[in-house]
Amino acid sequence: MLSLGRCVAIQTATVKRAARILTVACTSSMATDPAKKRVLIVGGVAGGASCAARLRRLDEQAEITIFERGPYVSFANCGLPYFVGDVIKEQSSLLVANAAKFNKWFDVAVKESTEVVSVDRLAKTMKARNLNSGEEVVYSYDYLVLSPGGNAIRPPIPGAELPGIFTMKTIPDANAIKSWINEKDAKTAVVVGGGFIGLEMVENLVHRGLKCSLVEMLPQVMPPYDPEVVEPVHERLRSVGVDLHLGDGVAGFEATPGGGLLVKTQSGKAHGADLIVLAIGVRPETILARQSGLELGSRGGIRVDEHMRTSDPAIFAVGDAVEVKDFVTGEHTLIPLAGPANRQGRIVADVITGNEPSRFRGSQGTSVVGLFGLTLAATGASEKTLKRLGRDFRKVYLHINNHAGYYPGAKQIDIKLLFDPQDGRVLGMQAVGEEGVEKRVDVVAMAIQKGGTVFDLEEAELCYAPQYGSAKDPVNMVGMVAANVMRGQHPLTSWDELNLQELVSDPGTVLVDVREPSELEKVGKVEGAINMPLSTLRSQLAKLQDKDKKYYVYCQVGLRGYVATRQFLQRGFDAVNVSGGFKSFLQQMPERPAKL
Ligand code: FAD
């Protein structure tokens, strides 16, 4: 029988007159069996639940108690937007496990609606308050695991507390949004914040039939991604009728006389709505850590070592509340994702049960978001991070079918790969498209974790049948392009590295479009480029005299540009291919100069 962190034997109970709180004291001296490890876990969702379950699988004797402030443990917060959108119909589907299951399967005590309010590190005790009864109980521990997650940010701006303005973190939050939509017969919504929760909320509100606006302070959605990679996401949002307002922060909120709400932006605009969702990020929940003097990091999260141990060896911390080491850059950072939280919870269980070698390798920020049929995914560092750190890198763009083009239904994936020019080590990849995106990013995520290079991607042996991929999978292809760059066989540049105006007016440089004339007529070309179609390039090069010029070559997506560049080079011309061709030009040049 479980002993609830050794506190079932209640010694004293005093009702505090002022706070009307019942205090129950117990001490570690009341231990039922000192040989058993007493593990208390604060937070019973991703990291906490994962830690408890593994702990039990590794140690049948340990006394394990989970404390969860909310009314549910182990719920699927990642499913919440889809519950609001009625894609997930039943609330019960979100409950991965419940207190009874934890008790029966794992002999873990679960205290729901119970908030841990203080920790006494010297006494190795913590106090928990039952939020329904007000009862406070002191529990002793051998090990304390903090997995309190993060708090959805509600900015301190005028009107942010008005009814009808919601954040999205818990099942009660989702229920509140659903009730508001139903009761007010809401027809319009503004989502503030274009990160993954904001985008998922937009998709689900549209799915429920609401007309949606998205307001984002930065000039792009999904801020950790590079701007050109998310350009197709902007297009998709607009194409389904979402009013996208980028580069405009929120200044305040107002209630209108008719019962609606207004979002006022810093540029002076006002967007009306029946409902507002704030999705501007999460802040690590560190109250207990701060109160008890645990070390925090520069980003505001709890500082832990590679075994997830805090500055107190008896206290571990995991999940959204901790700072992790970025696997690629080595920086301390905050990466609030479910995968790392779950893995970290398991690692803590390993370490507590004596498997010290178990360690967290760091986080790569591998992430995926789906919206309106589009998938956006990334792993590792972005170009903007590498630039901020002054780190040397090279990049290639690839626009390639997800599977063999001859098999019906092939969809193009836009890929950006970043790698180290010294040794070819893969630093990051971002991709967007309709099919097969996350599968490619997952492969590269594993390559990064194993210190893989572009040569490894080139050689990777991956599944192939025409409906799934190509004999040279997009992962192989992007590796091949980058490996050719590394070997000096493929001089490559990108649009953002060129000054187009100078390039086309400089008599020493030539911009060459190697697509067929019919394509140029259909989709346009870069102003100032001359057309030398690949189909006739050999004969044209045979007549071309200007070997002292430099030729910048591009096609539609980069492949023919590469083939053409090889012809130029092998005939003694100085040539370089522009990565990603005209498709990348359109994604990278927001101003999009005149097309023919
Ligand atoms: P949580 O899972 O948030 O659990 C922390 C728990 O601790 C909370 O339930 C809280 O009530 C409790 N708590 C806090 N303080 C106390 C206290 N003092 N006493 C008792 N209990 C306390 N990640 C992905 O990788 N993919 C996704 O698709 C994805 N979608 C998401 C969608 C939404 C709407 C949200 C909100 C998050 C999503 N995430 C997603 C992020 C992911 O859910 C989190 O990274 C993950 O849950 C973090 O785990 P955690 O254990 O650190 O915190």
Side-chain angles (χ1 to χ4, degrees), residues 43 45-47 68-69 77-78 116 147-149 169 196-197 319-320 336-338:
V45 189
E68 171 51 54
R69 182 168 55 197
N77 25 22
C78 307
V116 176
S147 186
K169 185 77 180 62
F196 70 89
I197 295 176
D320 291 0
L337 290 171

Side-chain angles (χ1 to χ4, degrees), residues 131-159:
L131 298 177
N132 297 324
S133 65
E135 181 192 43
E136 286 189 346
V137 180
V138 176
Y139 296 83
S140 66
Y141 62 81
D142 293 316
Y143 297 104
L144 179 62
V145 182
L146 302 177
S147 186
N151 293 314
I153 297 172
R154 200 178 268 267
I157 52 178

Side-chain angles (χ1 to χ4, degrees), residues 190-252:
V190 173
V191 173
V192 181
F196 70 89
I197 295 176
L199 292 181
E200 288 173 358
M201 285 308 297
V202 167
E203 182 184 52
N204 281 285
L205 291 169
V206 169
H207 189 252
R208 280 199 65 148
L210 278 82
K211 169 85 183 130
C212 238
S213 303
L214 177 61
V215 177
E216 165 59 55
M217 189 172 68
L218 297 174
Q220 65 167 93
V221 298
M222 292 298 282
Y225 287 62
D226 290 325
E228 73 280 17
V229 177
V230 299
E231 197 51 38
V233 178
H234 297 163
E235 276 172 26
R236 184 61 59 101
L237 285 165
R238 291 187 183 111
S239 76
V240 297
V242 173
D243 286 332
L244 189 55
H245 305 281
L246 298 173
D248 199 4
V250 173

Side-chain angles (χ1 to χ4, degrees), residues 181-320:
I181 293 173
N182 293 337
E183 284 160 21
K184 306 282 173 187
D185 193 21
K187 299 272 189 290
T188 55
V190 173
V191 173
V192 181
F196 70 89
I197 295 176
L199 292 181
E200 288 173 358
M201 285 308 297
V202 167
E203 182 184 52
N204 281 285
L205 291 169
V206 169
H207 189 252
R208 280 199 65 148
L210 278 82
K211 169 85 183 130
C212 238
S213 303
L214 177 61
V215 177
E216 165 59 55
M217 189 172 68
L218 297 174
Q220 65 167 93
V221 298
M222 292 298 282
Y225 287 62
D226 290 325
E228 73 280 17
V229 177
V230 299
E231 197 51 38
V233 178
H234 297 163
E235 276 172 26
R236 184 61 59 101
L237 285 165
R238 291 187 183 111
S239 76
V240 297
V242 173
D243 286 332
L244 189 55
H245 305 281
L246 298 173
D248 199 4
V250 173
F253 305 95
E254 277 176 20
T256 63
L261 292 158
L262 273 186
V263 178
K264 299 211 148 182
T265 67
Q266 284 159 3
S267 72
K269 294 197 180 105
H271 309 292
D274 299 324
L275 159 86
I276 295 169
V277 178
L278 296 176
I280 57 175
V282 290
R283 197 175 280 129
E285 162 74 72
T286 53
I287 293 177
L288 290 174
R290 271 186 282 123
Q291 276 174 357
S292 54
L294 295 178
E295 187 186 344
L296 300 184
S298 55
R299 306 291 306 274
I302 304 172
R303 187 50 68 81
V304 288
D305 67 10
E306 60 184 356
H307 304 298
M308 310 312 296
R309 208 179 254 120
T310 67
S311 50
D312 181 330
I315 304 180
F316 294 80
V318 301
D320 291 0

